[in-house]
Amino acid sequence: MYIASNSRNATVSSMCVQHEEGIGWNLNLRRNLFEREHGQFNELTNLLQGVVFSDDFDSCRWKWGTNGQFTVSSFYDRFMEIDRSPGEAVTQFKTTLVWTKQMPSKLEELLIAWPKGKGGHLGGRLWGLLPYATIWVLWRSRNDLIFRNKLSSVERISNEIKATLWYWLGGWPGRRLYSFPDLVTCWFELVNGYLVRTVSTQELGYGVFTFVSVMALNFDTINLFDFVVKQGNGVKGLVDSGISKVPDLYIQPVDKRISEANSEHVVPLPLIDISGLDGPEHDQVEEALVNAAETFGFFHVVNHGLPIQFLEELKDAAHNFFNQPAEKKSVYLKGLSPSPFLDYGTSFVPDSKKSFEWKDYFFMLYNSDDDALKYWPDLCREVVLKYIKTSTKIATRILEILMKNIGVEVDDSMAETYMGIKVVNMNYYPTCPDPDLAIGLGRHSDFGVLTVLLQDDIGGLSIKVQEDGKEEEWIEIPPPIPGALLVNIGDTLQILSNGKYKSAEHRVRSSTQSRVSVPLFLFPGPKVKIGPLPQVVEKDGQAQYKECLFGDYKSQYFARGYSGKQALDFVKITSP
Ligand SMILES: O=C(O)CCC(=O)C(=O)O
Ligand SMILES: [Fe+2]
């Protein structure tokens, strides 16, 4: 009838004609009806006879639902009813076009059919437990709704599932390499195996040393990751390949970027002539060292015993190392390196897929002269050995002074206990096409006792300071005067001194010029107990930090990635 109508958009009421004896209909048909349409016409007029008008607007009713309301379930019921009735047109309807059966209909089948997670890392374990955690949380949410009238949002349910999984994995030792925020923010990467933290433990002469490595990548970045990390081209190789923009992987979230514009606050650090310790100026030099260690946690030293010429050679050695072709450097990649004490790599511990740093490094742990002679690259062996020996003496002298000031006598054996492990890193920060987007090195404090750092004149290191009564702020440290070395306090010295000496957070911005730095990190072996020294605690009245093994502290530190000074919370004593 609709086909034959002249007013297809008319409403029922507009087709109705009021007569004295009741209502009639002007259906406004545009043609005479065919024979075969008469039956339909009669059906329509029969329907119209039952029409009762009200003042309401015209509306649609779903005749298969209660109250005329459409519901998917009533539609489905009706659909299946027609589908099952022989001879109905919809029998041929391909339900699979609309519904595909992906989920087994029984819970037991679902659990059996659940695809296996890959690997024994966190992602694989999460995946394996996921259906159980989901069922458990949904069951609880359903009970909350039924018995307590408490309705949960989908987001809340999904977070509860993650929290349940985290809790259930509490007994698995590998969990300590991750944090709960990893689970919330990198869920996709974790369950797909793109974010994996691994620990390989290697027995060294003095005990167990733990390396933590993290890989974080997504599909688009696999080629880049292979080229930079696995094939050992490093960020330098990327730059040498002629890239003109910073690849996505290296683009930092806005809150982590360090632009040159906000690095305008440049404050010179105390410059201390430490040769004065051996002369009449001793007391002033001592005071300057103590002051700097208490406030900035960073200071420059001059007249330390390493001539300018030597420092230039060391910087050249660093440039020469990184200027070698990738094949030469990649023999020192983790897993390939001839010695567990040498490791060439790039970036550090990315805490999410966005935190790759614009930096390559070469790590050398001093074990013995023999070992160095055997394994270290010719082009830097001599200078690095000399740097380690002289800088260790400088650091030992500084430690003696700082400790004396808090009532602790440092003898050779104590210095060896706390600074017995000596690691030199040669850091290479390649030129960056857009330094505002990438970072050279994320915010961190050094975990050891003292760090001696040789920098070149490019600049870019900033430290976080808090002046009395003011907010914390980042200040950029101008490049050192020629011949100066930077010394900074590490977390362990902050702990030993019961918080008197501060390990300052620092970070490095990337630059349009390549830059090198050569830190020497001095720290205890993993079995050494660290905690506030008794002399200091006695003076202060109470300890600020708990005692722990240095190895445990270091694991905590690495498990957190570059996260400012959060590792100290692990040992901080919080008042009840
Ligand atoms: O490159 C720098 O100036 C600082 C390096 C640094 O902080 C580190 O390697 O821990
Ligand atoms: Fe550092």
Side-chain angles (χ1 to χ4, degrees):
M1 294 301 88
Y2 181 75
I3 295 168
S5 172
N6 242 338
S7 355
R8 294 185 176 188
N9 292 325
T11 57
V12 175
S13 62
S14 69
M15 309 295 267
C16 159
V17 191
Q18 295 277 354
H19 300 299
E20 284 190 0
E21 60 276 21
I23 54 171
W25 300 96
N26 174 11
L27 296 182
N28 197 8
L29 300 182
R30 63 185 167 81
R31 61 169 165 79
N32 289 334
L33 297 177
F34 297 116
E35 207 39 58
R36 62 186 153 79
E37 290 170 333
H38 284 178
Q40 291 176 15
F41 185 77
N42 288 340
E43 209 178 306
L44 178 65
T45 38
N46 277 343
L47 273 174
L48 288 173
Q49 263 171 20
V51 169
V52 182
F53 285 103
S54 77
D55 288 337
D56 296 342
F57 288 106
D58 282 358
S59 60
C60 301
R61 270 183 115 273
W62 176 253
K63 72 175 185 177
W64 291 287
T66 45
N67 313 326
Q69 296 290 319
F70 173 81
T71 59
V72 175
S73 64
S74 65
F75 170 79
Y76 181 76
D77 285 345
R78 174 65 187 152
F79 188 89
M80 296 317 278
E81 199 179 295
I82 298 172
D83 192 42
R84 268 182 244 113
S85 342
E88 292 278 359
V90 278
T91 310
Q92 302 307 321
F93 186 83
K94 281 219 161 301
T95 45
T96 49
L97 288 177
V98 181
W99 293 285
T100 47
K101 194 178 160 200
Q102 279 192 334
M103 292 291 276
S105 48
K106 288 209 170 80
L107 212 50
E108 193 185 341
E109 285 172 24
L110 172 85
L111 294 177
I112 295 168
W114 189 252
K116 295 246 171 310
K118 285 187 221 87
H121 50 70
L122 180 63
R125 282 164 198 270
L126 288 173
W127 183 254
L129 291 173
L130 183 59
Y132 301 93
T134 308
I135 294 164
W136 176 239
V137 172
L138 283 178
W139 170 248
R140 277 196 345 224
S141 307
R142 169 235 183 241
N143 289 348
D144 277 347
L145 181 62
I146 293 179
F147 303 126
R148 304 203 184 102
N149 209 15
K150 232 175 77 190
L151 182 65
S152 270
S153 66
V154 172
E155 195 188 350
R156 197 187 154 92
I157 291 180
S158 124
N159 281 338
E160 267 182 39
I161 293 174
K162 290 173 187 167
T164 304
L165 288 165
W166 182 249
Y167 173 68
W168 285 356
L169 284 168
W172 172 57
R175 198 195 78 171
R176 70 191 158 80
L177 295 172
Y178 300 82
S179 64
F180 182 62
D182 282 341
L183 213 89
V184 177
T185 56
C186 305
W187 174 260
F188 177 85
E189 286 80 356
L190 279 169
V191 292
N192 283 288
Y194 307 142
L195 176 65
V196 179
R197 299 193 206 272
T198 54
V199 176
S200 64
T201 305
Q202 316 208 5
E203 273 298 328
L204 302 187
Y206 45 81
V208 177
F209 192 75
T210 308
F211 295 95
V212 177
S213 68
V214 172
M215 291 192 306
L217 56 151
N218 60 38
F219 284 127
D220 308 332
T221 57
I222 283 179
N223 290 339
L224 183 70
F225 182 82
D226 253 36
F227 176 82
V228 174
V229 181
K230 289 206 177 148
Q231 296 166 25
N233 290 290
V235 182
K236 179 162 194 312
L238 204 59
V239 173
D240 292 347
S241 76
I243 52 151
S244 57
K245 63 193 235 329
V246 174
D248 286 352
L249 188 64
Y250 288 92
I251 298 182
Q252 295 293 320
V254 176
D255 60 322
K256 289 198 179 154
R257 294 184 197 166
I258 319 168
S259 73
E260 200 161 359
N262 63 32
S263 311
E264 268 164 12
H265 194 172
V266 177
V267 173
L269 284 182
L271 177 68
I272 304 173
D273 176 353
I274 51 168
S275 67
L277 285 172
D278 300 322
E281 314 274 279
H282 177 96
D283 290 356
Q284 287 96 304
V285 179
E286 180 172 328
E287 198 186 324
L289 283 171
V290 168
N291 254 333
E294 283 177 352
T295 51
F296 291 113
F298 266 85
F299 45 90
H300 282 123
V301 294
V302 285
N303 292 327
H304 38 60
L306 284 169
I308 292 187
Q309 183 55 36
F310 171 80
L311 298 180
E312 293 304 315
E313 280 172 36
L314 182 54
K315 283 184 264 182
D316 287 347
H319 276 286
N320 293 341
F321 179 83
F322 290 100
N323 280 333
Q324 298 179 101
E327 316 79 88
K328 289 261 184 208
K329 292 179 276 187
S330 52
V331 296
Y332 300 105
L333 282 174
K334 227 178 235 134
L336 298 177
S337 181
S339 151
F341 310 130
L342 293 180
D343 160 23
Y344 158 68
T346 180
S347 192
F348 178 64
V349 182
D351 57 357
S352 85
K353 64 176 186 286
K354 291 230 178 235
S355 31
F356 275 64
E357 291 155 341
W358 206 253
K359 183 190 113 170
D360 300 330
Y361 68 82
F362 184 46
F363 164 103
M364 285 166 272
L365 188 145
Y366 176 77
N367 187 33
S368 67
D369 283 2
D370 283 351
D371 182 79
L373 281 173
K374 207 151 139 202
Y375 298 115
W376 290 18
D378 291 348
L379 54 69
C380 62
R381 183 197 307 123
E382 302 265 298
V383 273
V384 172
L385 276 176
K386 178 166 174 194
Y387 181 56
I388 291 179
K389 287 182 182 166
T390 315
S391 299
T392 303
K393 281 193 197 132
I394 301 167
T396 307
R397 188 84 173 99
I398 292 171
L399 184 70
E400 272 167 21
I401 301 289
L402 296 180
M403 287 296 195
K404 195 177 115 216
N405 186 262
I406 52 176
V408 180
E409 274 316 310
V410 173
D411 57 17
D412 286 353
S413 102
M414 184 173 180
E416 188 55 25
T417 303
Y418 290 122
M419 304 203 300
I421 310 293
K422 304 165 179 69
V423 165
V424 165
N425 256 13
M426 295 199 299
N427 293 324
Y428 186 84
Y429 304 89
T431 52
C432 181
D434 194 343
D436 282 356
L437 296 182
I439 54 167
L441 180 56
R443 48 188 283 195
H444 69 284
S445 54
D446 295 349
F447 57 77
V449 172
L450 283 171
T451 304
V452 179
L453 178 70
L454 170 66
Q455 292 188 293
D456 61 16
D457 52 6
I458 303 296
L461 174 69
S462 48
I463 64 173
K464 201 171 193 185
V465 291
Q466 183 171 32
E467 286 171 65
D468 283 345
K470 289 200 194 151
E471 294 242 313
E472 288 184 323
E473 60 175 337
W474 286 99
I475 57 167
E476 180 147 338
I477 298 178
I481 62 160
L485 286 168
L486 192 60
V487 175
N488 64 289
I489 310 296
D491 294 349
T492 305
L493 185 48
Q494 175 163 335
I495 295 168
L496 295 173
S497 69
N498 205 24
K500 183 170 166 74
Y501 301 129
K502 306 281 179 329
S503 69
E505 245 182 278
H506 51 290
R507 62 184 190 185
V508 179
R509 76 178 149 77
S510 49
S511 155
T512 49
Q513 286 168 283
S514 63
R515 169 178 187 272
V516 288
S517 72
V518 190
L520 164 70
F521 301 105
L522 297 162
F523 52 93
K527 296 278 160 66
V528 174
K529 278 193 191 147
I530 58 168
L533 295 167
Q535 297 90 323
V536 200
V537 178
E538 198 180 310
K539 222 192 292 165
D540 292 353
Q542 75 187 69
Q544 306 266 12
Y545 305 98
K546 288 178 271 197
E547 191 173 77
C548 72
L549 291 181
F550 180 73
D552 291 339
Y553 184 73
K554 205 154 132 278
S555 303
Q556 286 296 322
Y557 177 95
F558 279 95
R560 283 172 168 79
Y562 272 167
S563 52
K565 292 183 66 169
Q566 280 177 21
L568 277 169
D569 294 343
F570 170 64
V571 284
K572 182 104 186 105
I573 295 176
T574 41
S575 23

